[in-house]
Amino acid sequence: MKFPKRFLWGVSTSAHQVEGGNHNQWSAWELENAKANAAQGKAQYHDLEVFDDIQAAVTTPENYIAGAAANHYDRFEADFDLMKKMQLNAFRFSVEWSRIEPNEGAWNAQAIEHYKRYVAALKKRDIEPMMTLFHFSLPLWFTEKGGFEKRKNVKYFVRFAEKIVEELGKDIRFIITINEPAVYALESYQEGNWPPEVQNKRTAFRVLRNLIYAHNQTAKKIHTMNRRYKVAIAKHSSYVFPGDDALLSRASAAVLQYIKDDYVLRRIRKTSDFIGVNYYLSERVYGYRVHNEDKNLSDVGWDMHPEHLQYVLERLDKKYKLPLIVTENGVADADDTARKWWLAKTMMALNEALKEGVRVQGYFHRSLLDNFEWAHGHWPKFGLVDVDPTTLNRKPKQSAAWWAKFLANAKKN
Ligand code: BGC
């Protein structure tokens, strides 16, 4: 396989999932709901194939509290060394707004200093930083004002973006404004699985519109600061495919794909320098309905089709003609039996897309570390590196060793 010389090979994380010690709308919600979540754990997860292995975890309140997470806030130097050993040259992370602006309008110099050291530590190792500004976690003062439910609150986010880009920007080129706007709107405002647990389609739609507006405002602001910044959103993009040849299945799949991807992308393309693609799963459609095969499932119950990444990339390339970067891709696999296969298939999918002329410029695997998986808690294991739950010691998994070897070879070719 052949990859471009300057291809970005990275891993991707987010602040609340790995840092530990955060105080934001998630940490507040976790403390309030841990007991209730544990009480519902059995009902919630008993259908999963891995239920026997996770039963103890999902019925324990601590599972649902991020707490120290992987304590990456203090251990980032060692984590970057691990990345270097794994042959990586790029890293996607998020800055935690609640640390930087703990109270409205009050910047925390210590937190800003921390992220300066953080980015400098990446640069020192020749690792290209990709900074995310909003990856699901928000300061409490902002959510108390109604967060992204209100358009007039977007200005606070833009002000935060301007401040942090001013402070860290000299060492950064790639900026993700918002991670998966549609996922956030759906989980927090339609399904009510995430804080603030609203279940209202109209509110969810309003939040989505406000997030699109927030991206456009922020991207414009960052571009006026300096045109060299490459700004994008990270778009959750599943692949929707018809399960048979019937016209209805094909038409429904096309419509669903359009709703999932194009509603957002059409509205942000002009202000974006590339599209960040988060690919985890595919949806099979029969007739009007999604009906997945459920044959080859990851620990969290998602159908595994790593090869479909190729089609996701080809479709977006054709439609939007923007450079693409895979900003997240990975698999929940506690015993590390599927990850190597997933990675191998993914490398082939990338290679095929490149051969077809798709302008894909990088690939970020999720995740570096086993981390906190939002409402699921700690049990799903997406990491290339195992984190011991008590000592927090790191241990690269076999899949990580395999991928590092692959990358060392790819660089020689
Ligand atoms: C989110 C990540 C999360 C991953 C796996 C993605 O939708 O962006 O934060 O770790 O899903 O659950």
Side-chain angles (χ1 to χ4, degrees), residues 13 34-35 43 46 79 87 94 127 140 144 154 162 175 178 189 192 200 260-261 266 268 272 314 326 329 342 390 398:
T13 62
K35 265 202 187 141
H46 78 275
D79 289 340
Q87 306 289 325
S94 71
I127 298 175
L140 280 164
E144 277 156 15
V154 167
E162 187 180 6
I175 299 173
I178 293 167
Y189 291 95
N200 183 318
K260 277 177 179 274
D261 281 357
R266 280 163 53 109
I268 57 141
S272 301
E314 286 174 1
V326 180
N329 171 267
W342 175 285
T390 36
Q398 287 196 346

Side-chain angles (χ1 to χ4, degrees), residues 17 135-136 179-180 236 280 302 328 366 373-374 382:
Q17 293 181 273
H135 196 126
F136 303 155
N179 183 66
E180 301 183 348
H236 185 280
Y280 289 95
W302 297 344
E328 283 181 33
R366 181 164 203 102
E373 281 303 327
W374 308 115
F382 279 84

Side-chain angles (χ1 to χ4, degrees), residues 1-288:
M1 290 187 218
K2 231 181 146 47
F3 292 94
K5 264 224 146 48
R6 301 159 72 117
F7 201 77
L8 297 173
W9 290 112
V11 279
S12 124
T13 62
S14 85
H16 188 68
Q17 293 181 273
V18 292
E19 283 186 347
N22 280 319
H23 183 58
N24 53 32
Q25 102 281 26
W26 269 95
S27 63
W29 181 82
E30 289 156 22
L31 291 178
E32 265 168 40
N33 291 281
K35 265 202 187 141
N37 286 340
Q40 287 159 16
K42 195 165 176 194
Q44 168 94 14
Y45 293 111
H46 78 275
D47 283 345
L48 290 181
E49 276 172 13
V50 295
F51 182 67
D52 288 347
D53 303 329
I54 64 168
Q55 180 164 10
V58 300
T59 49
T60 309
E62 286 69 40
N63 171 62
Y64 300 96
I65 300 173
N71 190 218
H72 174 70
Y73 197 78
D74 297 321
R75 299 175 189 229
F76 66 89
E77 295 260 5
D79 289 340
F80 297 167
D81 285 339
L82 276 176
M83 282 160 35
K84 200 68 202 161
K85 273 200 202 125
M86 286 162 60
Q87 306 289 325
L88 303 173
N89 63 9
F91 180 51
R92 175 172 172 233
F93 63 95
S94 71
V95 280
E96 178 64 28
W97 185 5
S98 64
R99 287 186 189 272
I100 295 163
E101 193 179 359
N103 297 303
E104 185 189 336
W107 306 113
N108 176 349
Q110 259 183 338
I112 295 175
E113 232 5 82
H114 166 86
Y115 287 116
K116 280 189 178 163
R117 276 187 277 121
Y118 191 86
V119 173
L122 289 170
K123 293 303 269 192
K124 195 175 113 196
R125 291 167 177 80
D126 277 324
I127 298 175
E128 178 75 47
M130 178 183 280
M131 172 169 75
T132 306
L133 301 173
F134 170 47
H135 196 126
F136 303 155
S137 56
L138 295 166
L140 280 164
W141 63 262
F142 180 74
T143 54
E144 277 156 15
K145 281 180 187 296
F148 286 112
E149 285 165 61
K150 298 203 174 118
R151 181 152 299 202
K152 69 174 198 275
N153 289 345
V154 167
K155 62 176 181 286
Y156 300 108
F157 180 66
V158 180
R159 181 177 68 179
F160 157 64
E162 187 180 6
K163 171 73 176 170
I164 201 67
V165 173
E166 228 168 59
E167 294 282 356
L168 305 181
K170 79 172 172 42
D171 285 330
I172 290 182
R173 264 194 309 157
F174 295 98
I175 299 173
I176 300 289
T177 54
I178 293 167
N179 183 66
E180 301 183 348
V183 171
Y184 175 72
L186 180 84
E187 296 283 359
S188 289
Y189 291 95
Q190 182 168 326
E191 309 263 315
N193 294 328
W194 293 359
E197 287 190 59
V198 174
Q199 289 182 315
N200 183 318
K201 275 192 183 163
R202 287 179 60 178
T203 315
F205 188 59
R206 195 169 70 235
V207 169
L208 182 63
R209 298 286 302 209
N210 288 342
L211 289 170
I212 291 169
Y213 175 74
H215 164 82
N216 286 331
Q217 294 298 106
T218 308
K220 280 184 204 154
K221 170 63 81 188
I222 296 172
H223 283 144
T224 57
M225 296 170 78
N226 197 323
R227 200 55 192 86
R228 77 184 167 83
Y229 292 122
K230 306 270 177 235
V231 187
I233 63 163
K235 177 77 186 73
H236 185 280
S237 193
S238 40
Y239 182 66
V240 189
F241 63 104
D244 60 14
D245 253 354
L247 185 62
L248 182 61
S249 305
R250 284 188 286 138
S252 308
V255 171
L256 190 57
Q257 186 81 70
Y258 183 89
I259 296 170
K260 277 177 179 274
D261 281 357
D262 303 314
Y263 182 82
V264 171
L265 291 176
R266 280 163 53 109
R267 287 167 174 78
I268 57 141
R269 72 201 294 181
K270 282 206 192 111
T271 55
S272 301
D273 300 296
F274 66 98
I275 299 175
V277 182
N278 292 0
Y279 172 77
Y280 289 95
L281 53 109
S282 298
E283 307 270 25
R284 191 180 66 166
V285 173
Y286 275 116
Y288 287 114

Side-chain angles (χ1 to χ4, degrees), residues 318-349:
K318 209 159 128 208
K319 260 203 121 124
Y320 295 98
K321 306 205 166 33
L322 280 169
L324 306 174
I325 296 180
V326 180
T327 37
E328 283 181 33
N329 171 267
V331 60
D333 175 29
D335 52 16
D336 200 39
T337 46
R339 192 169 289 101
K340 183 179 137 192
W341 161 80
W342 175 285
L343 276 162
K345 287 271 183 197
T346 301
M347 296 300 103
M348 287 195 256

